[in-house]
Amino acid sequence: MNMQEAMAPAQLRQMVAVASTGDVRRAVEQKPVVVVGRWGCCMVHVARRLLLGQGANPAVLEVGDDADPAALVAALRSKDISTRGVADVVFDACGAAATARHAAFPAVFIGGRLVGGLDRLMSMHIAGELVPVLKQAGALWL
């Protein structure tokens, strides 16, 4: 039994670094694909696997349970990061409509722009729009 298996989940969680708004901002500016979500969220895993399946290698940043996705998007907008892709209406992982003030995690950024959540990422994939966007962002070398 290794050390991680012997630790309680709460102890293991304390070992994981939680990303701040500044960390997210730097990653979005520097990396072609970034997925931001809550620690341990299964939807982050699904988004990551979809992007990996397309040949992209996304940076995954985990934020604390108290993180506000709308505040994160607002902070990125205020620092002139291109988040023009943010719709006035977004959908959370369960498909429930919410205003941009109530954006949901995971948030997927491609080429410095907010694509949206997992639902938007899946829609782009099904419509055949995801690969061209990933190529344009420099995330694929095809």
Side-chain angles (χ1 to χ4, degrees):
M1 176 179 268
N2 66 27
M3 184 176 149
Q4 287 183 350
E5 290 173 350
M7 297 178 81
Q11 291 171 323
L12 181 60
R13 182 179 175 138
Q14 291 174 357
M15 293 176 58
V16 176
V18 176
S20 68
T21 302
D23 295 335
V24 173
R25 183 180 307 117
R26 279 187 294 281
V28 169
E29 289 171 346
Q30 297 172 358
K31 308 277 185 188
V33 183
V34 179
V35 178
V36 181
R38 298 197 192 286
W39 187 88
C41 176
C42 63
M43 295 301 153
V44 171
H45 177 74
V46 171
R48 180 178 173 271
R49 294 297 302 176
L50 174 62
L51 291 162
L52 285 170
Q54 299 305 305
N57 187 18
V60 177
L61 298 176
E62 295 176 330
V63 296
D65 290 335
D66 58 345
D68 180 13
L72 177 70
V73 170
L76 293 175
R77 276 187 178 160
S78 68
K79 297 299 180 185
D80 293 328
I81 293 178
S82 177
T83 55
R84 290 184 304 247
V86 179
D88 290 334
V89 176
V90 294
F91 297 90
D92 66 12
C94 298
T99 64
R101 288 187 304 258
H102 299 104
F105 286 131
V108 180
F109 294 86
I110 300 177
R113 297 181 65 160
L114 178 63
V115 170
L118 180 60
D119 61 324
R120 178 70 182 122
L121 188 66
M122 297 284 277
S123 298
M124 290 175 68
H125 173 60
I126 291 168
E129 300 169 357
L130 182 57
V131 170
V133 171
L134 290 171
K135 284 182 186 177
Q136 184 179 8
L140 298 179
W141 297 355
L142 299 178

